[in-house]
Amino acid sequence: MNAKEHGLSKETIDAAIAQTIAVVEGPHKLPAILTLGHLALRTGVDYVALRGLLTGSCCHQYRHFKIRKRVNGPEKTIRYRKISVPTPDLYRVQRWIAVHVLRSVPVHGASHAFSPGNSIVKCAEKHCGAKWMVKLDILDFFGSISEMQAYRVFHSLGYQPLVSFEMARLCTYRPKHDVPPNFVLPRYQIPSGRVKKRNRVIESYNHPYMGILPQGAPTSPMLANLAMRDIDEKILSIANRFGLQYTRYSDDLTFSTRNDFDRQQASLLIQEIANLLIKRGLMLNRQKTAIIPPGARKIVLGLLVDGDLPRLSRPFKDRIRQHLYYLEKFGPDQHVSKRCFDSVGGFFRHLKGLIDFANMIEPQYARESYVRLCAVVSDAQIESPQNQ
């Protein structure tokens, strides 16, 4: 009735009803999103602000900073990971999309990250007792998933093309319009990083650069997983042909077998996976490629898998043990200062996070460690204002 009062035609009303039914009663029972205005209403974000985020008239969409990145190997080079935190309005929209749309969609069975019910432990369990293992890593995983791939995810869920495009753009990052190609990241200097066709219907939506998933947006992990579904299926097919177990935890790909295998087969596997990925705009990080033969230590996502169940590695336990030893020997204030933490409270939360992780794998060890931690660090030290 309200639609007719607003002068909408019967054809438009029927199309909106059909679209609503297709999504709401579809396999994933998702919320209907008919227009950008409808999305603004659902998320509680002002329509003008939302459109500004789409067109780029809102200049500051993300706050960027870098954090240190762990580097394996003998080199002492410090590397950094770029984190892009969305502005409050953009975060609110992304968070709504993540919770109400993306979280309801199942990922591929080989994927064990960023989805309900999955964990590092479950992923590692798949490889327990393996004789041979091959470990691969996708280079710049989130940054390699494009706005086009995000669009295909939303469109595959039943949303109309324009709405799918708008949600994809709201979930991706691109440089400003006026930044010349030689001043942007290498991915924007190649043809696949630039938009080929102009939008002649909504001119304000045009942008020279193809968006990518920003590391720091709440939608990026789930969108990356869903964009990888068909790739995971193809990788699984290759793994089955080689007689291997396959799992993916974000950008970490692990293959293993308890049967006979050799380095020549492993090399063939790696080449097939590399060829498949490169066709989808993804590349292997060759520095993190590893073939692990029988007799060598088998570690998956930091957990030992040489037995029937995953176990904590010795370096991980040593890390906790060292902290507890120096806390007991020198006291919290001196140890926290020496390790360059901002506060006792911050250090306590850091170490408790490590112990909480240990609790998923070895509960008895975690309980003993937590008792020692609480015996040294008092509640007053944790809750003190200067320790927040």
Side-chain angles (χ1 to χ4, degrees):
M1 184 65 70
N2 288 338
K4 289 182 179 178
E5 291 174 356
H6 282 81
L8 296 178
S9 67
K10 183 178 183 303
E11 290 76 12
T12 301
I13 295 171
D14 289 344
I17 293 172
Q19 165 64 12
T20 300
I21 292 172
V23 176
V24 173
E25 297 184 3
H28 307 302
K29 313 297 182 193
L30 301 175
I33 306 170
L34 302 177
T35 64
L36 184 65
H38 193 189
L39 180 62
L41 186 65
R42 280 189 172 278
T43 59
V45 175
D46 179 71
Y47 171 78
V48 175
L50 201 55
R51 194 169 182 86
L53 291 168
L54 277 167
T55 61
S57 60
C58 173
C59 296
H60 303 290
Q61 299 176 348
Y62 293 89
R63 177 174 58 88
H64 306 288
F65 62 92
K66 294 179 180 179
I67 60 173
R68 285 194 176 192
K69 189 176 182 181
R70 186 176 64 184
V71 178
N72 295 322
E75 71 274 12
K76 301 297 183 181
T77 306
I78 297 175
R79 297 181 184 175
Y80 295 90
R81 176 178 284 110
K82 181 181 178 181
I83 305 297
S84 303
V85 179
T87 57
D89 278 346
L90 185 55
Y91 177 84
R92 188 170 183 174
V93 175
Q94 290 176 347
R95 181 67 181 164
W96 188 91
I97 292 172
V99 171
H100 296 282
V101 178
L102 300 175
R103 186 177 288 177
S104 304
V105 185
V107 300
H108 191 275
S111 175
H112 290 267
F114 316 130
S115 57
N118 281 326
S119 68
I120 286 175
V121 179
K122 287 186 178 180
C123 184
E125 282 176 348
K126 300 288 185 180
H127 303 284
C128 281
K131 288 172 61 178
W132 282 88
M133 185 177 291
V134 178
K135 297 169 71 174
L136 307 176
D137 180 89
I138 298 175
L139 187 67
D140 189 19
F141 182 46
F142 286 174
S144 298
I145 305 296
S146 71
E147 182 180 347
M148 179 60 72
Q149 289 168 291
Y151 163 82
R152 289 173 182 149
V153 168
F154 289 118
H155 193 41
S156 71
L157 300 179
Y159 292 108
Q160 291 301 305
L162 180 56
V163 168
S164 298
F165 166 80
E166 289 168 335
M167 286 198 288
R169 174 152 291 186
L170 287 167
C171 294
T172 51
Y173 163 79
R174 64 208 52 74
K176 294 179 182 178
H177 286 267
D178 54 355
V179 178
N182 56 317
F183 281 90
V184 295
L185 294 173
R187 70 170 63 90
Y188 296 117
Q189 298 174 19
I190 58 177
S192 62
R194 299 177 64 82
V195 176
K196 297 180 178 66
K197 294 182 179 179
R198 291 182 63 81
N199 186 327
R200 301 189 184 280
V201 179
I202 308 177
E203 281 287 336
S204 61
Y205 280 4
N206 282 311
H207 199 287
Y209 299 113
M210 181 70 69
I212 57 170
L213 296 185
Q215 190 156 333
T219 44
S220 291
M222 286 175 273
L223 271 175
N225 265 349
L226 295 175
M228 286 287 292
R229 281 186 302 184
D230 66 321
I231 302 175
D232 282 329
E233 186 59 32
K234 286 180 169 58
I235 294 176
L236 180 62
S237 178
I238 294 171
N240 288 339
R241 185 154 40 81
F242 279 88
L244 300 171
Q245 176 75 249
Y246 162 61
T247 64
R248 180 177 61 79
Y249 193 93
S250 186
D251 54 358
D252 289 312
L253 282 60
T254 306
F255 304 83
S256 69
T257 180
R258 296 186 178 191
N259 303 320
D260 292 332
F261 198 64
D262 56 46
R263 288 187 178 275
Q264 184 178 1
Q265 289 177 293
S267 297
L268 291 173
L269 168 76
I270 293 168
Q271 194 56 53
E272 278 203 49
I273 300 300
N275 292 340
L276 170 64
L277 292 176
I278 205 165
K279 290 177 182 176
R280 303 301 184 92
L282 303 168
M283 293 182 63
L284 290 180
N285 184 347
R286 293 291 183 174
Q287 293 182 339
K288 292 188 177 181
T289 296
I291 300 172
I292 305 165
R297 189 173 59 162
K298 308 291 192 304
I299 294 182
V300 176
L301 303 171
L303 300 178
L304 283 167
V305 293
D306 50 3
D308 293 332
L309 292 172
R311 294 181 294 117
L312 296 170
S313 67
R314 180 174 293 177
F316 182 87
K317 283 186 171 182
D318 285 346
R319 188 177 170 190
I320 293 177
R321 179 188 58 77
Q322 269 193 345
H323 278 309
L324 292 173
Y325 171 78
Y326 287 117
L327 277 173
E328 291 166 343
K329 183 174 182 178
F330 299 113
D333 291 325
Q334 188 173 341
H335 179 61
V336 166
S337 175
K338 191 171 183 62
R339 291 302 177 96
C340 299
F341 279 85
D342 292 333
S343 66
V344 174
F347 170 78
F348 177 87
R349 286 183 283 276
H350 167 75
L351 188 52
K352 184 177 182 299
L354 296 178
I355 295 172
D356 286 343
F357 175 79
N359 188 54
M360 295 191 297
I361 300 99
E362 298 185 30
Q364 181 62 34
Y365 169 79
R367 279 195 294 271
E368 293 169 357
S369 299
Y370 187 62
V371 168
R372 288 178 64 187
L373 174 62
C374 291
V376 181
V377 182
S378 68
D379 290 343
Q381 287 174 306
I382 298 168
E383 296 169 4
S384 174
Q386 64 265 31
N387 286 326
Q388 296 303 310

